[in-house]
Amino acid sequence: MLDRRARMMALCGIVCIVAACTPAQAPSEPVPEPTHGAAGIGDEYYPEAGNGGYDVDGYDVEIRYDPEHGHLTGDTTVTAHATQTLSRFNLDLRGFAVSSVEVDGQPAKFSREGDTELVITPSEPVAEGSTFTTRVRYEGEPVSADAGQLGGNGWYRTPSGGAFVFGEPQSASYWYPVNEHPRDKATFSLTATVPKGWTAVSIGEAGEPVTEDGWTTTTWTESDPVASYLTVFAVDKFDVETSTLADGTPVRNVFAPGADDARDEAARTEEIVEYLASRFGDYPASTVGGIYLDIATGFALETQGTPTYPSDPDVDLLVHELAHQWYGNSVSVDSWADICLNECFASYATWLWAEDKEGADLDALYRQQIRSLEGNRAFWAQPLYDMGAGNEFGVVYTKGPLAVHALRLRIGDEAFDRLLREWPAEHANGNASWEDFEEFAERISGQRLDDFFRAWFRGTKRPAEEYLYPEPLRR
């Protein structure tokens, strides 16, 4: 038996041995200081567009709209994940009186800054990496469409007393709180309630309308990620026609009062989609069809799966907007400087349609248009990529298809056909930049195309003859 002193010495030795064998505890990672999410997503063209600090997973929008009084009541829940620890963050919302905001079910402070920013301060910081919900209740008379590059962005009233909201690059913030930039795509659900006798329409697959107490409620669900400007809400005395494509994709064509002249064009939707799928690959949207209005908005918009058309659309317009379902909707721009990825290729789709369906000689068309532009310095001075804020839609519809045809001639039909199909497949449901496309075209073609792209897409003068008339046109 050990005496007390010996036992104490032995115990001390054991403790020392254990301490020496136990690895030192690593210092804990510092908890990030909560910071305010940026008031813009980082697009130089529109510094206040979108917001930083989070990525949206989905929107759940509920609205009640009374066409007679032009009043909207909204209740929107935004599900997002935080990319930093947030003390505050912004959503984009134009107009309306906000009555309450909740973050993860807890009341949050909020304020308005400028024309678009809803600034939200949660009761506790939102941890980086966490998923959180933000619920916003609001109401009022929506902001009417104002001047935009293509026409007006915002709310329109129709001759029959209805209303709709659309526009590009902004439109969603005119009716629900949103991270308004195509870089942050998300799923979308809308539950819309309108007076009995009126019909509301949106994007996605529609549930059965339910009428109760003089109001009709319908829910639409878009499970594919969508850029917010491609969402739409319209209400009118619509006539709705539904069917399906051969593969089961729901078809929904919606005609406003006075839009009957568009029925012949709408009837060609399946033919157009079938043709475009033969060039671009499988149809990428969950629905197909169109909203046909009886109002001269000045432009159509490729709202997801269900493009919105002004009065008197022609087949070329349907081809253009449906081509966007691949080029612009499934594959969306990373920045508004990249808009040629949408418009140049949707515009060239009408050339392809003319070639394959109407027997057009595209080389002859190309030569004729190039000759007509002789001496037109103003036309050539406008670049197709990085054209400057406010000039995104300047020449993409005219110079754009010429440039795409020149690219086709430069790399050959085999590589060009692969490019048309593989680009939307490689970036499906995502975003891409013009630089990504240049690298992709070089990889597909096996050619160095820097000088060609510089001359046609980045340049501000008439391309040199070797790029203006690629080798096949010089034979």
Side-chain angles (χ1 to χ4, degrees):
M1 173 179 271
L2 297 174
D3 62 19
R4 182 173 181 277
R5 186 169 182 273
R7 288 200 303 271
M8 290 296 293
M9 292 293 291
L11 180 61
C12 180
I14 292 170
V15 170
C16 291
I17 292 170
V18 171
C21 294
T22 302
Q25 185 173 0
S28 60
E29 291 289 330
V31 177
E33 283 292 320
T35 53
H36 183 190
I41 205 167
D43 189 331
E44 293 181 359
Y45 277 31
Y46 298 96
E48 294 184 0
N51 304 282
Y54 63 91
D55 287 322
V56 177
D57 298 320
Y59 296 98
D60 185 358
V61 181
E62 296 184 17
I63 60 172
R64 177 181 289 245
Y65 182 72
D66 182 355
E68 181 179 354
H69 299 98
H71 188 84
L72 183 145
T73 302
D75 185 346
T76 292
T77 298
V78 182
T79 301
H81 60 273
T83 57
Q84 65 188 67
T85 298
L86 292 166
S87 58
R88 295 191 303 167
F89 59 93
N90 291 16
L91 287 167
D92 300 313
L93 182 65
R94 299 170 190 268
F96 300 112
V98 176
S99 58
S100 68
V101 177
E102 296 174 4
V103 176
D104 287 336
Q106 298 300 311
K109 296 179 180 179
F110 62 91
S111 61
R112 308 298 291 271
E113 292 184 1
D115 294 332
T116 62
E117 301 297 326
L118 173 62
V119 184
I120 299 167
T121 304
S123 57
E124 297 289 338
V126 177
E128 180 179 357
S130 66
T131 298
F132 66 103
T133 61
T134 305
R135 183 179 184 183
V136 182
R137 296 180 178 92
Y138 53 100
E139 65 176 316
E141 183 175 344
V143 176
S144 297
D146 56 8
Q149 292 185 58
L150 297 176
N153 297 326
W155 279 80
Y156 293 77
R157 298 305 301 263
T158 70
S160 54
F164 61 95
V165 55
F166 82 155
E168 185 182 6
Q170 297 93 21
S171 61
S173 59
Y174 286 87
W175 62 293
Y176 63 93
V178 60
N179 195 21
E180 194 164 39
H181 194 279
R183 195 179 297 170
D184 193 2
K185 300 167 73 168
T187 61
F188 177 82
S189 173
L190 170 66
T191 300
T193 301
V194 297
K196 181 180 178 180
W198 294 88
T199 300
V201 296
S202 188
I203 65 168
E205 297 193 45
E208 285 296 320
V210 176
T211 300
E212 191 173 79
D213 298 328
W215 293 82
T216 299
T217 300
T218 311
T219 296
W220 292 265
T221 304
E222 178 52 77
S223 56
D224 292 332
V226 55
S228 60
Y229 76 94
L230 299 173
T231 64
V232 66
F233 169 72
V235 56
D236 215 318
K237 303 294 180 69
F238 287 119
D239 180 23
V240 181
E241 295 182 354
T242 60
S243 61
T244 59
L245 298 181
D247 65 0
T249 302
V251 179
R252 183 174 61 249
N253 285 318
V254 180
F255 302 92
D260 285 343
D261 288 348
R263 290 181 186 271
D264 288 345
E265 285 72 21
R268 302 189 70 177
T269 297
E270 183 171 354
E271 175 192 3
I272 295 169
V273 169
E274 183 179 296
Y275 169 72
L276 292 173
S278 75
R279 302 305 305 255
F280 301 153
D282 293 342
Y283 181 70
S286 62
T287 60
V288 67
I291 302 170
Y292 296 89
L293 305 168
D294 184 32
I295 184 171
T297 57
F299 68 107
L301 190 62
E302 59 272 20
T303 42
Q304 185 103 340
T306 311
T308 305
Y309 299 101
S311 54
D312 300 322
D314 59 20
V315 169
D316 275 356
L317 188 58
L318 269 69
V319 171
H320 181 106
E321 302 307 329
L322 289 169
H324 274 309
Q325 306 309 309
W326 288 264
Y327 283 86
N329 293 21
S330 179
V331 185
S332 300
V333 297
D334 184 67
S335 159
W336 285 107
D338 304 315
I339 195 64
C340 184
L341 290 174
N342 298 8
E343 301 299 345
C344 295
F345 287 88
S347 297
Y348 192 69
T350 66
W351 283 41
L352 293 171
W353 174 270
E355 180 180 43
D356 292 338
K357 291 289 188 175
E358 300 164 6
D361 182 340
L362 296 191
D363 288 351
L365 174 64
Y366 175 87
R367 288 178 182 277
Q368 184 274 325
Q369 291 200 15
I370 293 296
R371 285 195 298 268
S372 72
L373 292 165
E374 188 73 39
N376 191 339
R377 293 184 179 179
F379 176 88
W380 296 110
Q382 301 176 72
L384 288 167
Y385 166 66
D386 200 10
M387 62 291 290
N391 301 312
E392 294 94 316
F393 302 100
V395 290
V396 286
Y397 305 109
T398 51
K399 187 179 179 182
L402 290 172
V404 174
H405 191 66
L407 175 62
R408 175 183 176 179
L409 294 169
R410 175 63 183 256
I411 67 176
D413 278 353
E414 183 179 351
F416 185 73
D417 290 345
R418 283 188 59 202
L419 181 148
L420 290 181
R421 296 178 66 85
E422 294 182 25
W423 172 257
E426 185 164 307
H427 297 280
N429 293 322
N431 296 80
S433 68
W434 181 254
E435 288 90 344
D436 293 332
F437 179 78
E438 290 185 349
E439 293 174 4
F440 179 83
E442 290 191 335
R443 171 158 52 90
I444 290 294
S445 67
Q447 298 183 28
R448 290 292 302 273
L449 298 170
D450 290 355
D451 291 340
F452 175 88
F453 283 126
R454 190 175 300 111
W456 263 109
F457 293 89
R458 297 170 178 264
T460 56
K461 60 183 180 180
R462 181 182 170 96
E465 292 294 303
E466 63 180 300
Y467 307 120
L468 200 61
Y469 293 105
E471 197 272 334
L473 292 183
R474 287 181 268 137
R475 290 174 183 169

